[in-house]
Amino acid sequence: MTTRSIEIGVGLFVAIGIAALLVLALQVSNLHEYRQTDSYQVSAYFSNIGGLKVRAPVTVSGVRIGRVSEIYYDPNRFQARVVMTISTQYDYLPTDTQASIYTAGLLGEQYIALGVGGEEDALRDGDEILFTQSAVVLEELIGRVLVNMTAP
Amino acid sequence: MTTERSTAPLIEIEDLHFRRGTHTIFEGISLQIPRGKITAVMGPSGTGKTTLLRLIGGQLRPDRGRIVVDGHEVHRLARSELYRLRKRMGMLFQSGALFTHLNVFENVAFPLREHTRLPERLIRTLVLLKLEAVGLRGARDLMPSELSGGMARRVALARAIALDPMMILYDEPFAGLDPITMGVIVSLVRRLNDALGLSSILVSHDVPEVSSIADYIYLISEGKIIDSGTPEAVRHGSSAWARQFMEGLPDGPVPYHYPAPDYLDDLINTGKS
Amino acid sequence: MVSLLQRLGHFGLSVFQSLGRAHLFLLRTLWSLGSLTWRPRLLIRELYSVGVLSLLIILVSGLFVGMVLGYQGYITLVNFGAEEVLGSVVALSLVRELGPVVTALLFAGRAGSALAAEIGLMKTTEQLSSMEMMAVDPYKRVIAPRFLAGILAMPLLAAAFSAVGVWGGYFIGVGLLGVDGGSYWSQMQASVDFYDDVLSGIIKSIVFGFVASWIAVFQGYDATPTSEGISRATTNTVVYTALAVLALDFILTGLMFSA
């Protein structure tokens, strides 16, 4: 085994390893989201966020435009405050946009869908979305259906 | 300073004690090894002759006593100083201890590449010179697995002299060789010693070969020096043990039988041990 | 009874002794790593035997593990009508757990045992000893490059394993079972986070590489210089590495993914 072929082999090995790392970073994971540093944040209050998690997608018409970056409970308003980071590519969202928490599929993860409103003014960094619709909790829904069925 | 050193013994060992576990190997050995001579340390198998070489090389640490090599007390040296001293020692291991993944040429070149920044041309010249000295210039491309025991030892010898050391430690250089190879090695040891002006220390139990080349002999048994002198003097010395060893007699001060209970008792008491 | 206690005590002492030797050994090895900056050639040679020669088994195993994950994941998910998330199931399992762990186990079997045997044999044939007598430090010349090569190779091997595995899952899930290709990748990207999942997996495999290489070179260096000693060293390497990797994986998973 000559030094030359050993060095070629090692070079190939390192190249394959780094290519694999790139595949993991760019194709398998969400690194490209982190690279979009141009983004702005808007927040919204929900009375119930259900199973919403940080990093959950934020969509408009089903297209992903950002993600949930922060969730915490605001003791002054007795509501959960959700901060969303949205790419500046999508900076045309009107101020009366509505935010709803939906579930992907029956048991899938939860995400925020934005319903675009009709105002002229667009949301700016740090603005608040006023119209929100909380997550649908399955137990509540079933309870309501049962009440409706037994009522009449 | 230098003149004083060159007349002083190369190696001085004083009151050396060494034990391995509960087994005592050396119990107060003192000896001197002169410069430019072939000094042999002889003794039966298991007396720790190889251990003595490792103590001189600083690979083992004595329990008591000191070893001075060329004015340096081996076990007081820092690692870097010890390594500097070792560059001037060559050691020939019994197995040869060649690097199995390198061929003959690279084995001999190894110490040169590690310790010098010589250009490739010069390394090639030096290696061929050393290989020529042991008669194996033609075997430079062989791998160690393709060499016979005697050839491996000669390559190892070429490697040991690659850095032109002041001394060579031979560990059982004659063990397990056929008569022709043995003759080659014996004459090599003598020739290298005289031609390169180095000092040789060899440990061995091959009496005739050692007697033929050694200038001085130390006989060691059970951790002590039994006798010392020129081969001739030891052979005709006062010690009965030394005579038994040198002549190779089966019985004498060293009994033929390993200590055992009485023979007849042992046979009768079957299965009661 | 007393003899049993004595044996237990003897066993305990010998365990602590070898642990102590292993740590002293590690210190000297780490201390010797610096000398490699002068001798990158040594590292390249070891990267070849540790990395390049392990690549094939890693790639093939990764492909098969990914294909099995694709199959099993599909069979489970299709019951819930959630086969769309197959991509994230396959990718998360590989990137977080199976990639680093299986790679480390295969590494122990392929490269670790070879390292232990090689160093053990060098010790048995007095090559290490003769190196010392030639004033060449075996830690710098033999141990350090092998140790570092193991640490460097492991994350690359684990990444290759995971990447190939993801494609294996794709072949089965999308190619054979008819999951939508677009949702395979988009679900994967939606749930696999670069920092939390990919980077954690890489850190895991670096830790595993450290431990696996440490065990292998120490077992070789500490081997009894007999043929039996070498065979014990190679066996110990595989067994200890497997145990250490699985235990460490548990701890690291607890630390990294607890939130």
Side-chain angles (χ1 to χ4, degrees):
Chain A
M1 191 59 69
T2 65
T3 314
R4 193 179 143 75
S5 58
I6 284 177
E7 281 171 359
I8 291 172
V10 171
L12 223 70
F13 166 65
V14 173
I16 289 174
I18 288 174
L21 281 174
L22 284 178
V23 166
L24 292 185
L26 299 177
Q27 188 166 16
V28 172
S29 80
N30 56 354
L31 182 67
H32 51 91
E33 272 176 32
Y34 286 102
R35 286 185 310 165
Q36 292 171 348
T37 46
D38 288 351
S39 61
Y40 65 102
Q41 294 195 321
V42 295
S43 61
Y45 285 92
F46 294 90
S47 48
N48 191 339
I49 58 159
L52 190 72
K53 299 237 164 52
V54 172
R55 275 174 42 216
V58 176
T59 63
V60 171
S61 315
V63 177
R64 187 176 174 145
I65 61 165
R67 62 197 165 88
V68 173
S69 50
E70 211 181 344
I71 299 175
Y72 60 90
Y73 176 67
D74 186 339
N76 297 323
R77 286 183 57 161
F78 305 111
Q79 277 184 317
R81 185 159 186 262
V82 175
V83 180
M84 290 161 260
T85 302
I86 296 170
S87 167
T88 38
Q89 220 180 317
Y90 310 99
D91 56 357
Y92 54 82
L93 297 172
T95 46
D96 61 343
T97 293
Q98 186 188 0
S100 320
I101 299 178
Y102 290 136
T103 307
L106 192 57
L107 297 166
E109 64 172 345
Q110 296 194 296
Y111 64 98
I112 293 182
L114 298 182
V116 180
E119 286 281 340
E120 294 275 309
D121 298 335
L123 284 169
R124 299 264 154 260
D125 187 41
D127 281 359
E128 188 192 323
I129 295 177
L130 296 172
F131 306 104
T132 63
Q133 184 190 326
S134 289
V136 175
V137 179
L138 209 57
E139 288 89 331
E140 267 178 27
L141 195 70
I142 294 168
R144 227 179 296 158
V145 170
L146 285 179
V147 169
N148 285 346
M149 281 168 69
T150 49
Chain B
M1 183 74 184
T2 41
T3 49
E4 190 191 343
R5 265 201 196 167
S6 59
T7 53
L10 180 65
I11 300 175
E12 273 183 283
I13 297 178
E14 279 172 27
D15 192 33
L16 180 70
H17 286 70
F18 184 78
R19 60 171 62 208
R20 186 167 270 159
T22 55
H23 181 62
T24 303
I25 296 180
F26 296 122
E27 224 180 330
I29 279 187
S30 299
L31 54 81
Q32 298 188 333
I33 288 168
R35 287 165 196 275
K37 297 272 172 28
I38 298 178
T39 309
V41 177
M42 307 195 70
S45 306
T47 40
K49 300 186 298 291
T50 306
T51 308
L52 184 66
L53 293 186
R54 285 178 186 270
L55 282 162
I56 293 174
Q59 289 189 317
L60 296 173
R61 186 163 274 281
D63 299 324
R64 217 168 88 198
R66 57 194 212 121
I67 298 173
V68 180
V69 177
D70 197 34
H72 304 282
E73 192 174 340
V74 174
H75 301 95
R76 291 263 175 92
L77 295 176
R79 199 195 303 278
S80 59
E81 294 171 315
L82 178 63
Y83 272 35
R84 210 171 309 140
L85 181 63
R86 279 183 186 163
K87 282 184 204 170
R88 297 158 64 206
M89 296 180 178
M91 178 148 170
L92 183 69
F93 284 81
Q94 190 173 349
S95 60
L98 295 175
F99 302 125
T100 42
H101 62 285
L102 300 176
N103 66 16
V104 167
F105 183 94
E106 287 301 322
N107 259 289
V108 180
F110 182 86
L112 295 168
R113 292 197 199 285
E114 288 292 324
H115 293 306
T116 67
R117 299 241 176 281
L118 297 176
E120 189 57 36
R121 278 186 59 84
L122 198 54
I123 286 185
R124 191 184 122 88
T125 312
L126 282 172
V127 170
L128 293 185
L129 217 67
K130 306 297 175 188
L131 280 175
E132 177 69 17
V134 297
L136 289 178
R137 191 165 44 82
R140 71 187 98 155
D141 293 325
L142 297 182
M143 294 304 284
S145 54
E146 299 169 286
L147 301 176
S148 69
M151 281 162 84
R153 219 167 282 179
R154 278 149 75 187
V155 174
L157 188 53
R159 188 178 65 179
I161 58 172
L163 287 174
D164 291 317
M166 60 177 175
M167 58 190 271
I168 301 185
L169 308 168
Y170 295 93
D171 185 9
E172 297 282 5
F174 311 122
L177 295 179
D178 63 82
I180 299 175
T181 319
M182 182 106 82
V184 171
I185 301 273
V186 168
S187 72
L188 255 180
V189 172
R190 182 80 251 180
R191 264 201 359 246
L192 287 177
N193 190 78
D194 298 347
L196 301 178
L198 36 77
S199 318
S200 309
I201 298 101
L202 54 93
V203 302
S204 176
H205 50 229
D206 295 286
V207 176
E209 289 74 24
V210 171
S211 304
S212 67
I213 56 166
D215 298 308
Y216 204 81
I217 291 180
Y218 285 97
L219 274 185
I220 293 184
S221 177
E222 290 172 3
K224 293 203 168 73
I225 293 182
I226 303 290
D227 205 351
S228 66
T230 60
E232 206 53 25
V234 172
R235 190 187 299 273
H236 304 294
S238 54
S239 161
W241 187 92
R243 275 204 303 281
Q244 186 194 354
F245 183 82
M246 297 299 280
E247 304 290 342
L249 303 174
D251 211 349
V254 180
Y256 172 68
H257 289 289
Y258 191 82
D262 185 73
Y263 188 37
L264 263 180
D265 285 353
D266 225 7
L267 287 181
I268 292 163
N269 294 336
T270 40
K272 267 179 80 177
S273 65
Chain C
M1 186 64 198
V2 172
S3 84
L4 192 75
L5 272 178
Q6 189 198 349
R7 232 183 298 165
L8 195 67
H10 182 79
F11 174 74
L13 281 179
S14 70
V15 166
F16 276 110
Q17 271 177 357
S18 59
L19 273 179
R21 282 202 307 276
H23 282 87
L24 287 176
F25 174 86
L26 180 65
L27 277 182
R28 264 197 81 178
T29 305
L30 293 176
W31 186 250
S32 310
L33 283 179
S35 67
L36 280 178
T37 45
W38 312 101
R39 308 281 302 270
R41 276 271 162 79
L42 291 177
L43 182 64
I44 286 177
R45 182 169 283 274
E46 297 313 323
L47 266 178
Y48 184 83
S49 55
V50 168
V52 178
L53 297 182
S54 309
L55 192 58
L56 189 65
I57 183 178
I58 294 289
L59 291 179
V60 172
S61 312
L63 188 67
F64 278 116
V65 167
M67 280 158 55
V68 168
L69 275 177
Y71 243 122
Q72 289 286 11
Y74 180 83
I75 289 168
T76 313
L77 291 171
V78 81
N79 289 331
F80 305 103
E83 65 268 28
E84 304 298 308
V85 297
L86 181 66
S88 60
V89 168
V90 169
L92 280 182
S93 324
L94 280 169
V95 169
R96 283 184 177 181
E97 291 296 332
L98 292 174
V101 171
V102 177
T103 303
L105 296 181
L106 291 170
F107 180 90
R110 173 66 184 80
S113 58
L115 278 182
E118 190 191 14
I119 296 174
L121 200 67
M122 289 184 84
K123 183 183 185 186
T124 307
T125 54
E126 294 181 309
Q127 292 180 47
L128 295 182
S129 222
S130 76
M131 218 177 253
E132 269 183 29
M133 286 304 295
M134 279 185 258
V136 176
D137 189 348
Y139 279 89
K140 290 180 182 156
R141 190 67 173 65
V142 176
I143 306 291
R146 285 167 173 75
F147 179 68
L148 188 60
I151 296 176
L152 292 179
M154 188 74 92
L156 296 178
L157 289 172
F161 184 96
S162 297
V164 167
V166 166
W167 280 100
Y170 179 87
F171 291 144
I172 294 299
V174 177
L176 203 66
L177 300 173
V179 175
D180 179 53
S183 64
Y184 183 85
W185 293 117
S186 68
Q187 283 291 338
M188 188 183 291
Q189 287 174 4
S191 59
V192 179
D193 185 67
F194 179 72
Y195 292 98
D196 287 352
D197 299 319
V198 176
L199 218 56
S200 300
I202 293 170
I203 291 170
K204 258 190 189 181
S205 64
I206 292 173
V207 173
F208 293 164
F210 184 92
V211 171
S213 316
W214 177 20
I215 291 176
V217 289
F218 175 69
Q219 285 295 334
Y221 194 77
D222 202 47
T224 318
T226 58
S227 46
E228 196 212 348
I230 293 176
S231 87
R232 187 146 11 106
T234 52
T235 312
N236 283 351
T237 300
V238 176
V239 173
Y240 292 168
T241 307
L243 288 176
V245 162
L246 293 173
L248 268 175
D249 183 50
F250 175 71
I251 295 170
L252 289 175
T253 303
L255 287 178
M256 289 170 170
F257 305 112
S258 57

